[in-house]
Amino acid sequence: MSLTSSSLVAAADLAIAAIQGAKDLEELKAVRIEHIGDRSDLAKANQSLATLPKEDRAEFGKIIGVERARVNTVYAAREVELEIERDRRILEEERVDVTLPGRRTSLGGLHPLTILTNEISDLFLGMGYQVEEGPELESEWLNFDALNMPVDHPARTMQDTFFVEPLTARLVLRTHTSPVQVRTMLRQAPPIYIICPGRTYRADELDATHTPVFGQVEGLVVDRGITMADLKGTLDHFAQAMFGPEVKTRLRPSFFPFTEPSAEVDFFFQGRWIEWGGCGMVNPKVLHAAGIDTQEFSGFAFGMGLERTLMVRHGISDMHDIVEGDLRFTRQFGTGLV
Ligand code: PHE
């Protein structure tokens, strides 16, 4: 470029036009290299000052200084403008709408039957009982024979019991939690204070009051001097904890092969007697079979249905609600988590 004042002004005007035309910082950077950088016309003009005759240097030096300053001022202003624009764009792109509804994660909860089971376990643990477990796939011997249930007992017919193949293995889905009584007595010497809540099975159709898979809670006490009065007192306490302090229980004579005498437990609730479960004094034959000295020890046992307890306590009229797992039903009981 020839060094004339008009060419310098033209170069500066060109640079300014380019600066103002830059649409973002990226483009502005390219403009800078071309029009302001070392290889730009204005920079080169500045470098060529040295080649000018001395008398011209001051004049051109001054013009170059003025033009470069003009360009730099416009550049700085445009740079600020584009930076503001960029920041605004980033803010817009990364915007978080704090008014959007949050995404709720559901923690889940315990089934009402599990909540009830925990409640019953806590009650008896508080009285010094232990909570026992037994397998749901149980030997026929423990489920029946050891409980003084002879082979021709009606409960052993195909109608009630789920037998498991191969039949020669003599395994059943336990029909009650009473085999855990035997398991406990075989393992542990008296005094024994246990409950066993758990799942049990009988070949029933699912309807409003029956389910082939149901829960029971078994109680067993074996100690010195245990009488039916201890049984009655324990059942009263249990019933009152379940249904309210006003609740009374009554025993009706009944029959179970593993208790003698045996009784059905009813409780009086909201104006009527309701059947709750079976109970009795542990049959000495059962104690004998477990190697317990019946001269020294006696015991009582009881077995209650968990579904029935839940249904009566909460006015549930249909068993389907308990087994189907509809959250609209189960949520009414809370999560059961503490
Ligand atoms: N196991 C009996 C039943 O399922 C209930 C029961 C338990 C009766 C303990 C007496 C003693 O019907």
Side-chain angles (χ1 to χ4, degrees), residues 44 95 123 134 174 207 243:
K44 280 187 205 151
R95 177 201 188 108
L123 175 72
R174 67 179 178 192
D207 64 24
F243 306 106

Side-chain angles (χ1 to χ4, degrees), residues 25 233 326:
L25 290 167
D326 188 328

